[in-house]
Amino acid sequence: MYDLIIKNAKIPQGDETVMTNILVLEEKIAGFVDSTHGAQAKEVIDAEGHLVFPGFMDSHTHIMYHGFGHRENWVTGSAAAVRGGISTIIDMPCCTVPSTRTVKQLELKIDIANAQTVVDYGLWGGVTGEDVREGWMHNVQEQADFGVVAFKVYMTPSVPTYPRVTDPEMLECFKEVAKTGLPIGIHAENFAMCDFYVKKFQADGRMDGPAWSEARNELAEKVAIELGISFAEATGARLHIVHMSTGIGAKLIGEAKKRGINATSESCPHYLTLNYQDAMTKHGACAKIAPPIRTSGDNEEHWEGLRNGSIDFMATDHAPYELESEKTSEGTTIWNAFPGIPGTETMAPIIISEGLNKGRLSLSRTVEVLATNAAKHYGLYPKKGAMMVGSDADFAIVDLSKEWTIDPKTQASMCGYTPLEGMKLKGRIIKTIIRGTLVFDDAQEGVLPTLTDAELDKIVHNFP
Amino acid sequence: MYDLIIKNAKIPQGDETVMTNILVLEEKIAGFVDSTHGAQAKEVIDAEGHLVFPGFMDSHTHIMYHGFGHRENWVTGSAAAVRGGISTIIDMPCCTVPSTRTVKQLELKIDIANAQTVVDYGLWGGVTGEDVREGWMHNVQEQADFGVVAFKVYMTPSVPTYPRVTDPEMLECFKEVAKTGLPIGIHAENFAMCDFYVKKFQADGRMDGPAWSEARNELAEKVAIELGISFAEATGARLHIVHMSTGIGAKLIGEAKKRGINATSESCPHYLTLNYQDAMTKHGACAKIAPPIRTSGDNEEHWEGLRNGSIDFMATDHAPYELESEKTSEGTTIWNAFPGIPGTETMAPIIISEGLNKGRLSLSRTVEVLATNAAKHYGLYPKKGAMMVGSDADFAIVDLSKEWTIDPKTQASMCGYTPLEGMKLKGRIIKTIIRGTLVFDDAQEGVLPTLTDAELDKIVHNFP
Amino acid sequence: MYDLIIKNAKIPQGDETVMTNILVLEEKIAGFVDSTHGAQAKEVIDAEGHLVFPGFMDSHTHIMYHGFGHRENWVTGSAAAVRGGISTIIDMPCCTVPSTRTVKQLELKIDIANAQTVVDYGLWGGVTGEDVREGWMHNVQEQADFGVVAFKVYMTPSVPTYPRVTDPEMLECFKEVAKTGLPIGIHAENFAMCDFYVKKFQADGRMDGPAWSEARNELAEKVAIELGISFAEATGARLHIVHMSTGIGAKLIGEAKKRGINATSESCPHYLTLNYQDAMTKHGACAKIAPPIRTSGDNEEHWEGLRNGSIDFMATDHAPYELESEKTSEGTTIWNAFPGIPGTETMAPIIISEGLNKGRLSLSRTVEVLATNAAKHYGLYPKKGAMMVGSDADFAIVDLSKEWTIDPKTQASMCGYTPLEGMKLKGRIIKTIIRGTLVFDDAQEGVLPTLTDAELDKIVHNFP
Amino acid sequence: MYDLIIKNAKIPQGDETVMTNILVLEEKIAGFVDSTHGAQAKEVIDAEGHLVFPGFMDSHTHIMYHGFGHRENWVTGSAAAVRGGISTIIDMPCCTVPSTRTVKQLELKIDIANAQTVVDYGLWGGVTGEDVREGWMHNVQEQADFGVVAFKVYMTPSVPTYPRVTDPEMLECFKEVAKTGLPIGIHAENFAMCDFYVKKFQADGRMDGPAWSEARNELAEKVAIELGISFAEATGARLHIVHMSTGIGAKLIGEAKKRGINATSESCPHYLTLNYQDAMTKHGACAKIAPPIRTSGDNEEHWEGLRNGSIDFMATDHAPYELESEKTSEGTTIWNAFPGIPGTETMAPIIISEGLNKGRLSLSRTVEVLATNAAKHYGLYPKKGAMMVGSDADFAIVDLSKEWTIDPKTQASMCGYTPLEGMKLKGRIIKTIIRGTLVFDDAQEGVLPTLTDAELDKIVHNFP
Ligand SMILES: [Zn+2]
Ligand SMILES: [Zn+2]
Ligand SMILES: [Zn+2]
Ligand SMILES: [Zn+2]
Ligand SMILES: [Zn+2]
Ligand SMILES: [Zn+2]
Ligand SMILES: [Zn+2]
Ligand SMILES: [Zn+2]
């Protein structure tokens, strides 16, 4: 007696697909069979011949619980994730007060997350210039021992609770993280350049949206990535460029890989689809993120990077804010609005619509950039990111033909805005299953409310 | 009711392995289940936790039926293959009288093969200088339409029945094969150089084994590969270097790939393990092949090529001869002995022992070079070379720990010699299954004799 | 008392020019002085502020004396050279009966040349497949000891008296010439390809001029150069590509240089200025050379090659034929017409007009490609190719502004045709001086007839 | 009547030498003649067959006049230069109070220099973070118009009077200097890294000499050069790396050149000859410079860089200090001692002894790195750095065989120390001539005291 059978599942095998039935027992994939004749299960979900992917992974989210009560929390954030076919997120350490850079903070974060999340999650560890200066570097190994999957470093600060590093402090972080064998993800923008040109543009009286992208320019990211590559080469650390925004960045990471340097990168949906001139003009603060949106040329270079492997996988940098208080209130300008946009709900649909369906990405590459590669990179594979016998029974069922339009009013995120608003897509998540439990069903506009307490309990408490 | 269940199968999934049970129905893989509880099957094979690979592919064999009665035929050759875990061979067009370069010859070849073979097979098409000169190039498209998977061209002849091409004739062949979209595999040795130095060494009185390798030198292969790359670039043909022997060759093909040229290559077991000074001295004519065995440095460069992808997959160039008549009879010298050695029985064991078990190749790369890549290259994937629901139920079950020694006396090939004699390996094929039928069982020293006529009938007649 | 003072000479110094007066004593440059006040000389030539270059070098000529009586001889050929500002030629070994591949033939050639030449000269040595086959390779070192400056090898034969090499014979030539330390210049066209496509085009009935260029195609040169590079790498020989015609050739030689291989190349004026479609249509046999004229794209790539150093210097392949007997007589077709055109008279004017005056080449690069580099390459520097105290007093005085039109009727060559006919140039040789003797004066339409016997005697007999 | 004839001068012509006599009139080279017969001159210097080079150039000196009275001034500094065969220095803008970043300061500097210098000189302009912040960037073009040859920027400050730039300030400087077409020379060390590790080493209690080199580590220079290259690429500025110390720097600049970026670099004698472990241990503060002395490996990579062109020329960073007050006084440590060593007196002897005489550099390359290339780079060629008719009559006469030992007690610099002390050299400057006036004669232990006022007057006041 299986717990679940997913019937008529078309599953990816390389660039091919195969029609099969997926057996689930005790939260794991128990098998694939061409016929369910004779097999019994407590529950049957009929995929009706749609593509069934391994559950997607968003390895870069900012759930902003304690200290930021009016922002995205684990309830709204995880609901948004599963609506996007995401079965695992990996959350950043920066958006709490205090930030999550010790075992004590990690324990506190897990307590809060476990009580609220409907999506499985892993955690980023943190290390800052303050840790270097104060002699707190022992926290690095302790966080690693506790189970974080990577460490985040900010060259340019995004939130006041998480101090940036100077160049030598970053080098010290690389040395320390290298010992753990875990990746070190850097927010790669040259601080002094960002600071200087933002102030210069402010002094010049620029108040338009595009000013944000022009002030935090491509060169600031380029030289930051070059510095990261040199530090990775010098220390042996596993450099990862989080939310890389520029095409030149993809080129640099691709070249570094060829030279044998352990360097990886991620793109985000907005860096594949939006150009700053249009998006910042139209959406202003609601399209404000850091690094900023770039040009159409960068969009194309990122698609190319996804194809040729210089970009390893997708993530979202999901960081939505309360629209009224932080984006549109009286006195809010492009300079003081908080940078951040939602992402989890639309990442996979965009890759499927604009990548797979338009022929930019092959099927196997689609699986890699949405699921497999991040899972491998963060040590969660093949429990996550794989569709093997024994893997967690996490799935995203996708209707490749369904056309729809992005509308923030129908999203689960608390924020109510997205610069992708109005984008027409072809391909939609119709069901998300985590460890054998259906957590999102498009037909029912979400299924969480319908789950029993026991069912809900089964899909939380799962810090990998 | 399944036809077959393979229980306790440890199957490769990327670089991981997963323990499962494989269901087989009507010659195809019908499913993978973690428990066979409730599943019924006519036959059960217990893999006992051993690694179960997709059946291996040897895409370069010379079965020498009509016209060469005293050589390897489809009975002995296919028996040797399955003993090596090989479930599919792709046979070359050159070793018949006349050679196989027309639909008529292909039909004749299939008739003979089908009556004798126990291994599945595909066929190489053929094109020669004679076809160019005589205006027979229409045969190329006709062979493609008939179903050959690639075309073979000889820059230097190996058998009298299959004329070589001059440089412009080769260019004409590239142009014609390019139209079919199929690969063109070249025996890459500069004819004039081989001919000149062999005659020079003969004139100098050299009669030692190493003279063969020194006469047909590395440079003759290098410049032939360079010519092939230029022709591929000029015509768009899919260049494939069969039985590539040199490390410099791997380097050239790797560079051509980077420049976007459609170029691939294969190595053979003897180019990974033997150096000519030792092997040609010890085995003389019994180690004589073309291209010849090279140096230990080339061995290492080929392992590196398998790792970095400049070598795409393994094949054997399996071409054994009757020992008495063609290798050791009175008057036979290193110059007039026929070039050729057996290979199918030992290719996979060598890759597993010297590659996988010694850490030279990862598990995923082992699967690629023994099965997946050749199947993809020749258009047989995912029917062959894959372990998916719906793929042919072809498997090689391998005991990774079993130690043994290569001994031609226990091989199925008719030849009775191998320059690998005495090589100690760790890792042995214990069962081979083709389309759900056990065709080799190490414990029973082969199972063919025990198959019923109906069973035997099921595994022949399978020109894909 | 100096023998000669050249007053008001503007001389190149790097990319600058300096106005000076040049002192000549005993055939050498004795000094440069800013004022001739007090200096006495037997003769004074006033350069009137024109540019005075070191005498130019044409290192690739075919003077066709004994055995080819009705062709260019040393009288007409050397007169043509000095009219082009050339003070030294290096003559090829192929156009005599028998060809010049022994000391005996060299001695004979010098006897004839010395009696006729007005230009200084060096000699190419020769080596052919016949020398390899017949065991005559000792001739190589003997020619080197006698004083040849390089060795010529034909991959594809141009004249019946000078056999081509097969690939291994060429390798043997490389090995032997490598020992001498001298360059080995190859006529780089794949023989079998040239032969095959010429015959194919003939069989197809093509009789138009462009057919010649299309039959002896770019690829035949490309693969020949690749072979030469591989042989140079294998043997350490100093590979030189004579009369390189293709842009891809320049690219290959440039890359080989970067990889540290000792490889050089020369272009000719017709490869910089003519495209085959126009020139072969208009001039037919009178534009027929081997390798043939290529495309406008190749023209541009050769200018780029001259700039970036992948082409080392210019030469002419000067090989004119009697118009009536070998280009236009009854029954002459594009296939059986003799390949060859004149060049010495127009090489420098074309480089000056189309290169220097049009900004394609800098002044320093102009000096290098017309004089310095060839002199260095063939070991004649700084005696030749330099304008130093102590160098031979060889000069070409050039009027950069003078406009004129190429007209074979006014040329010294015996041939009376040139595919450059009608080309308008800006920049003309106005005086040529060899070892202090004025041998050409544009104002006097040549000065040779006016020289005394003693003067003439002084400028012959100068095998360097 | 010439002013001067230098008889029996062996002059370099490419890699050859030619024996000649040099005529000088009105401070310029008036000619070269093989015989002085009949030529008259007011003065004759017999070079006795020694090599006569164009006067050498040191394009990186720190003469420390007003504000630093007890340091090297123009009298001692220029005397030291001419003893080293140097006829032109280009002086840095940083070592005055206030520093030289305006036309007013330039005028003041010239007044002081002209009254004291015996060597010809050019001037670096200056631009700092302060100029960016205070809105003084108009000074850049004004300095260019006044005649400076380049602009100096400090990423890490060396003297309190000359503020460093932050990264964006440096970018602003690149943009501004790009408009002038002049080079921008950067002191390439990452400030934060130098500062951090110096403080860390101090905190760790390191007081040994090598600590200085280990604290200001290779990586700080590497990432600074990478930043400079990115800024040069972004702005089109002519990047020059002054006093480059690392081998990796040479590699980076070489690669940037190949990518078409306008980047150049200079090495200094101490980066070619000293390793920090030995030199800093032995000499301590007296070997303290910034960037610091590196390893023997870096020495070798710099010789290679000089050969392959990734290093364009030599300079000295000549900056000597009063030994008692700034290097050895009570309380002076490796951390607070002033960084700086002398250089002008030994640069050319070291290149000649260790480069030319030991076969590391060819003769032509020796001339380029000591004279020609810097003159071209700073726009002073062919007035300086050339030995042409019309060039300034600046010469260094060198006895290639003379053996001697570096001894600070016999040097003209005021400092009395050098970390090169005791180094044995072969090759010595025996005479230096500037614009036709003998300013140093080794036989007379300097000739300045013997010059008349009129003669002295002639060789000062020569801001080019
Ligand atoms: Zn960030
Ligand atoms: Zn983020
Ligand atoms: Zn073969
Ligand atoms: Zn074969
Ligand atoms: Zn030729
Ligand atoms: Zn020729
Ligand atoms: Zn400095
Ligand atoms: Zn300095």
Side-chain angles (χ1 to χ4, degrees), chain C residues 2 13 16 18 20 23 25 30-35 382 388-389, chain D residues 2 13 16 18-20 23 30-35 382 388-389:
Chain C
Y2 293 101
Q13 302 262 293
E16 314 283 331
V18 169
T20 189
L23 310 176
L25 185 66
F32 301 89
V33 289
D34 70 333
S35 160
M388 301 180 184
V389 174
Chain D
Y2 294 101
Q13 302 262 293
E16 313 284 329
V18 168
M19 190 67 72
T20 189
L23 310 176
F32 301 88
V33 288
D34 71 331
S35 160
M388 301 180 185
V389 174

Side-chain angles (χ1 to χ4, degrees), chain D residues 62-74 91-114 116 123 161:
Chain D
H62 298 271
I63 307 291
M64 302 181 205
Y65 35 100
H66 48 296
F68 296 98
H70 55 304
R71 293 185 184 165
E72 192 83 306
N73 60 30
W74 284 91
D91 201 57
M92 284 290 172
C94 39
C95 299
T96 54
V97 181
S99 54
T100 314
R101 290 141 49 197
T102 61
V103 168
K104 186 155 172 290
Q105 289 299 327
L106 286 166
E107 288 172 337
L108 177 57
K109 182 164 179 173
I110 287 173
D111 285 348
I112 293 174
N114 281 354
Q116 301 185 343
L123 294 180
T161 54

Side-chain angles (χ1 to χ4, degrees), chain A residues 2 13-14 16 18-20 23 25 30-35 381-382 387-389, chain B residues 2 13-14 16 18-20 23 25 30-35 381-382 387-389:
Chain A
Y2 292 103
Q13 302 261 295
E16 313 283 330
V18 170
M19 189 68 73
T20 190
L23 310 176
L25 185 68
F32 301 88
V33 289
D34 70 332
S35 160
Y381 182 90
M387 201 146 59
M388 300 180 186
V389 175
Chain B
Y2 292 102
Q13 301 263 295
E16 314 284 329
V18 169
M19 189 69 70
T20 190
L23 310 176
L25 186 67
F32 300 89
V33 288
D34 70 332
S35 160
Y381 183 90
M387 202 147 57
M388 300 180 186
V389 174

Side-chain angles (χ1 to χ4, degrees), chain D residues 167-182:
Chain D
D167 296 351
E169 287 164 357
M170 186 160 92
L171 181 58
E172 292 298 301
C173 294
F174 270 61
K175 288 179 190 169
E176 202 66 26
V177 174
K179 296 177 197 164
T180 68
L182 296 177

Side-chain angles (χ1 to χ4, degrees), chain B residues 325-337:
Chain B
S325 62
E326 294 176 300
K327 294 285 189 182
T328 62
S329 66
E330 179 79 18
T332 304
T333 71
I334 195 63
W335 303 114
N336 64 11

